[in-house]
Amino acid sequence: MQQLPRIRIAQLPTPVEKMPRLAAAIGGPIFSIKRDDLTSLAFGGNKTRKLEFLIAEAQANGAKTLITTGAVQSNHCRQTAAAAARFGFACILVLAGNPTLDQGVTANLLLDQLLGAEIVWTTRQERDQTLDAVFKEAWSKGKRPYLVPYGGSSPVGAAAYAFALQELLEQGVRPDTIVFATSSGGTQAGLAIGKELFGYSGRIMGISIDESATDLKSRVANLGNQIADLLNEKINLKPDDILVYDQYLGKGYGIPAPEEIDAVRLFARTEGILLDPVYTGRAAAGMLDLVRQGEIASGEQVLFWHTGGNPALFAGRYQDILTE
Ligand SMILES: *Cc1c(COP(=O)(O)O)cnc(C)c1O
């Protein structure tokens, strides 16, 4: 297998813990949790693993400035800003949304500022255009920009999750089913390639946060195949090899359904584990529903892969829904 340049940021391996009280509460499967909320970079999350490879690539390119994009409460942007600070890059974040609608500078947005990122505001529609313009301007001013891909999900970034699956197997954990939040598809593509490379035979179930299953399955399969190319491995994933559940999109990205807030409360009150209202809350609610539907059987060993996102609990926009 081809070695990829990598710097070390994350505290690895992240812990795997049992969740017996959650299992007892729902009379369900044997639950465990992989704590990628504890990767340690500025409140952690799944982007930290990807940044180990992306920062190495930026350094190899001689970059001086990291530029990336996301939503107002992007966890990816917050972790990128922290990695930039830690490795001596400037950071420009192109954020899509309206900060005044967000009840002030809270949560991830507050952390972006604290970490010293320059913020450029745009709208969802104009995001790619603005990003392009910001990149070109930085280049012309000699800032040597490196574009950190959306969600960190280039083949280089997403490869991190192939190695994350290897890490899990080396911890002696072989669940029947792994469940997690999937969005830009990098985490899932990496896990899917890790499954092929390191001999895991269980299911890898992505709960979609904001995309149709059809789109996400083909994106994940393509991205996975590109990761395999990068590692000099011959793997041919097809969209139908990828499990994506898109029945939990509800009212859309960042708008939690009551079941999702219930899931956040259930994890907190049975296990003392904090989820977030955007990603892991949706994934956990989906997982609990799939148990009820029998798609996940009650005798199974199920691992919930916590992908982080905790700061969003403190976003102004979620205070009412989390406290009522
Ligand atoms: C980005 C993110 C995800 C989705 O990961 P992808 O690799 O983009 O699919 C899931 N959970 C959290 C908390 C995230 O920040």
Side-chain angles (χ1 to χ4, degrees), residues 262-293:
D262 288 347
V264 171
R265 290 208 174 97
L266 185 65
F267 271 63
R269 292 171 189 190
T270 58
E271 299 289 349
I273 287 173
L274 299 173
L275 303 179
D276 79 284
V278 181
Y279 292 93
T280 54
R282 180 156 292 176
M287 176 177 75
L288 298 175
D289 186 62
L290 293 172
V291 170
R292 273 190 295 273
Q293 307 291 330

Side-chain angles (χ1 to χ4, degrees), residues 47-164:
K47 306 310 180 302
T48 305
R49 288 187 190 266
K50 299 177 184 182
L51 284 161
E52 292 198 333
F53 294 89
L54 295 167
I55 296 282
E57 186 176 63
Q59 285 177 338
N61 292 356
K64 292 199 173 106
T65 303
L66 304 184
I67 299 182
T68 198
T69 187
V72 181
Q73 285 296 337
S74 166
N75 301 302
H76 162 67
C77 288
R78 179 244 315 158
Q79 287 165 89
T80 300
R86 174 106 156 238
F87 290 92
F89 295 90
C91 182
I92 306 175
L93 301 175
V94 175
L95 299 183
N98 183 337
T100 53
L101 282 180
D102 202 40
Q103 301 183 30
V105 179
T106 56
N108 281 307
L109 180 58
L110 183 150
L111 298 173
D112 294 342
Q113 295 194 0
L114 206 55
L115 292 161
E118 177 190 335
I119 292 168
V120 177
W121 290 102
T122 187
T123 60
R124 180 62 192 84
Q125 292 73 30
E126 288 167 51
R127 187 184 74 195
D128 293 347
Q129 239 175 299
T130 312
L131 185 63
D132 198 48
V134 166
F135 187 88
K136 285 189 176 128
E137 192 194 338
W139 189 261
S140 71
K141 286 185 175 164
K143 293 182 179 175
R144 301 205 57 120
Y146 169 87
L147 187 65
V148 179
Y150 182 71
S153 291
S154 62
V156 166
Y161 268 86
F163 302 112

